[in-house]
Amino acid sequence: MSTNKTKPKPKTNPNAELNPRTTTYEFLGPPGALLITLGVPATTYALYFACSEAAGCPPPLALLPARFLAAVSDVQWWAGLWDTQAALAYAAWYAFCVAAWAVLPGDWVDGVQLRTGGRKKYKINAFSTFLLTLGITCGYIWRNGPGAFTFIYDHWVGLVTAALLMSVAQGLAVYLASFRPGALLALGGNSGNPIYDFYIGRELNPAIGSFDIKSFNELRPGLILWVLADVSMVCAQAARRGGFAGVTDSLWLVLAFQAWYVADGLYNEPAIFTTMDITTDGFGFMLAVGDLAWVPFVYTLQARFLVFAPVELGALRTAGVLALNLAGYYIFRAANGEKNDFRNGRNPKS
C-alpha cells in the first residue's frame, strides 16, 4: 500500500520578504560612504576657514597647505571647534522646533502607501513654525537693535560643531534602533555593511510615536535656521554700517531670495511627502548632516561673505538679478508642481 505524501512547503521569513537585502550600492559603496561621511564635515569647516574675515576669501592659495598643517597640528585649534554657548544655543533651537511641532495646530495628512500597505500620517505646521520664529526674531531685533542678533555670525564654528554632533548622534541612534523587530527598512539601506547603512539610512521612517524624525529634520531645524543665519548676517552688517539703512542691496537680495525659497518649501509642506527623500531614502547620517549642518551652514556662504566684503549693486544690476531670480523661481515652482501632481496620480499635461 502506497501513500502520497505532500511535500511540506519551505518556511518563509516574512521579515526578509518585507525587508530584502540590498544588493547594489550607491556612492561607490562603503568606501564612498566613508569618504562622504568624513568629507562633508571637513568641507563645512573648510568653507569657513578658507572664507572668513581673518583668512580672506579666498586666502592666498600658496599659503593654504602651510595654514592647514599648522591648524590640524595645533591642539588649541581643535579645542576652538567647541563652543559651549553655541552648543547650548543649538540644543535650545532644536528643542524649540520640536516644541513648536507638538504645540502649534496643524492638519494631519497621509503620506504615500508603504510596502506594508499602510500610510504614515504627518502633521503639517512647518510654515506656522517659520512664522512664529520670524515673529519672535523680528520682535527681539526691534527691541534690542541689530547688534543683539549677531550670535549666529559670531559663534559660527561652534554652531557648525553642534550641528555635526547632532547629525552623528541621530545617525547612530536611528541606525541602532533599526534593528528592533518590525522596523520597515529602506530598500537601499539594508546591505549589512554598517558603514554604508549608517550613512545611507537603514530604516525608512524612524519615528518616536507620531513624531517622524525624517520629515521633521527635512523642513524645520535646518531650513528655518538657514533664514535665521541670513538675518544674523544682515544684523552683523547693519551693526558695522550704522543701522539697517547701511545694509547693502546685495545682502538684502540674498536674504529675500533665500527666505522666499524657504517660505515656499514650508508653505508647500505636503508636497514633500511624495519626494524621494521621504518615499524611498532611509534616514541616516546622509540626510541628517544634509538637513542639520549642510543646509544652514553652507547655503549661507554668500551672506556670510557679504558681511565683511560688502557689495553695492545699484539699481540696474539689482533689477537684472531680480528678473533672473524670478524667472528661475517660476521654472522651479512650475516644474515641482507638475512633478507633485504626477506623483499623486494627476496628469499635469491633460
Side-chain angles (χ1 to χ4, degrees), residues 46-61:
L47 288 173
Y48 174 80
F49 288 108
C51 183
S52 66
E53 293 185 70
C57 191
L61 295 180

Side-chain angles (χ1 to χ4, degrees), residues 47 61-62 71 83 88 93 99 102 109 116 158 179 192 216 240 260 290 298 350:
L47 288 173
L61 295 180
D83 180 338
L88 292 174
W93 163 246
V109 302
T116 58
F179 289 94
F216 174 83
R240 300 173 181 205
W260 180 262
V298 173
S350 61

